[in-house]
């Protein structure tokens, strides 16, 4: 069966520090991968999606970047965190975009102080 | 480009009464549509999905949704609300490569 792992679950980082959140998927090949952010009281905002290794699409200009060094690994990064980067970050994958549903990780609660 | 609009940010119902959560979408292609639920401090759970088969879709926990292409809507309904239904609900549209979430509707169920 397929599983998705996202870590860490919670993170408190000072302003200006770097960020690296990792997501890995098991049990499937060539998935579509997604990073979403959920700010308090708001819906999920699509940040990045990837259809394959090294292929990243960015949805909004921001202080974050994403990389996909391996087929089932998706990394969200920042060189210098801002207070506005605080939020709940969710990684997700789907097999057949536009047809099948997405499966979500448990999320990372990031607080920038 | 595709987008989804959830028409109500907050819906409050009494236990045992019907639930209606409204969703409208726009898409350049023939999209798939989903409803997810998020209980407090928990991950996202799929309630139901529409992928170009039957327009009336039944999901878990007694929820169902009807795809209406002419109205570009995919409203979520349940005949009788239960206290455990209190949560945040998200309508999602997906075509080609990305998935777009609505802003969410918070459902409150009063005893």
């Amino acid at each position: 069966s397929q599983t998705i792992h996202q870590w860490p679950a919670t993170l408190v980082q000072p302003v200006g520090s770097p960020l690296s959140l990792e997501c890995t998927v098991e049990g499937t090949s060539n998935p579509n991968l997604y990073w979403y952010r959920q700010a308090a009281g708001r819906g999920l905002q699509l940040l990045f999606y990837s259809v394959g290794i090294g292929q990243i699409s960015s949805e909004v200009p921001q202080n974050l970047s994403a990389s996909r060094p391996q087929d089932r690994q998706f990394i969200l990064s920042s060189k210098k965190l801002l207070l506005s980067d605080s939020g709940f970050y969710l990684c997700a994958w789907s097999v057949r975009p536009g047809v099948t549903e997405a499966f979500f990780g448990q999320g990372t609660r990031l607080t920038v102080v | 480009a595709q987008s989804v609009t959830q028409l109500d940010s907050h819906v409050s119902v009494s236990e045992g009464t019907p639930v209606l959560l409204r969703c409208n979408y726009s898409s350049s292609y023939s999209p798939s549509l989903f409803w997810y639920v998020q209980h407090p401090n928990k991950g996202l759970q799929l309630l139901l999905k529409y992928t170009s088969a039957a327009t009336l879709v039944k999901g878990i926990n007694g929820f169902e949704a009807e795809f209406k292409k002419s109205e570009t809507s995919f409203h979520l309904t349940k005949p009788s609300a239960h206290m455990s239904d209190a949560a945040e609900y998200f309508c999602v549209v997906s075509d080609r490569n990305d998935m777009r979430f609505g802003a969410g509707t918070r459902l409150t169920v009063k005893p």
Side-chain angles (χ1 to χ4, degrees):
Chain A
S1 63
Q2 301 91 356
T3 57
I4 179 169
H5 303 281
Q6 184 181 344
W7 67 93
T10 59
L11 189 61
V12 180
Q13 291 284 94
V15 169
S17 64
L19 173 73
S20 180
L21 302 181
E22 189 163 343
C23 172
T24 59
V25 180
E26 296 178 357
T28 187
S29 297
N30 197 31
N32 264 34
L33 297 172
Y34 310 86
W35 277 112
Y36 290 89
R37 177 170 57 203
Q38 184 177 25
R42 300 177 63 181
L44 274 72
Q45 179 186 31
L46 178 63
L47 300 176
F48 302 95
Y49 69 90
S50 172
V51 301
I53 296 174
Q55 300 178 63
I56 309 294
S57 295
S58 175
E59 289 299 303
V60 294
Q62 57 199 317
N63 186 40
L64 301 168
S65 62
S67 62
R68 185 169 178 175
Q70 301 180 41
D71 181 44
R72 290 171 287 180
Q73 183 184 29
F74 204 25
I75 299 172
L76 184 68
S77 304
S78 173
K79 292 182 179 179
K80 290 185 177 181
L81 283 168
L82 307 172
L83 287 174
S84 57
D85 291 324
S86 293
F88 190 56
Y89 289 84
L90 283 160
C91 180
W93 70 275
S94 67
V95 175
R96 295 177 62 193
V99 178
T100 61
E101 65 270 33
F103 299 91
F104 288 82
Q106 288 303 301
T108 297
R109 173 77 55 193
L110 171 65
T111 304
V112 183
V113 296
Chain B
Q2 55 183 350
S3 65
V4 59
T5 302
Q6 290 182 245
L7 300 171
D8 307 291
S9 59
H10 187 207
V11 170
S12 181
V13 301
S14 296
E15 189 175 20
T17 63
V19 176
L20 170 64
L21 305 183
R22 298 181 295 165
C23 172
N24 287 102
Y25 71 93
S26 67
S27 177
S28 302
Y29 304 92
S30 296
S32 293
L33 294 156
F34 310 85
W35 277 98
Y36 284 84
V37 61
Q38 186 179 34
H39 290 276
N41 300 315
K42 293 195 175 181
L44 287 155
Q45 180 184 22
L46 180 70
L47 275 179
L48 49 80
K49 63 181 178 181
Y50 165 77
T51 56
S52 75
T55 57
L56 182 61
V57 182
K58 294 186 183 297
I60 62 172
N61 301 335
F63 284 95
E64 61 182 38
E66 186 172 8
F67 174 71
K68 293 186 176 180
K69 187 174 181 179
S70 61
E71 299 177 9
T72 60
S73 69
F74 190 57
H75 302 333
L76 181 70
T77 61
K78 183 173 180 177
S80 176
H82 191 273
M83 295 298 292
S84 62
D85 294 328
E88 187 92 18
Y89 291 80
F90 294 97
C91 182
V92 180
V93 60
S94 176
D95 65 27
R96 302 187 83 189
N97 289 317
D98 63 1
M99 299 186 72
R100 305 288 173 148
F101 279 70
T105 299
R106 179 161 298 281
L107 176 64
T108 301
V109 182
K110 297 174 291 186

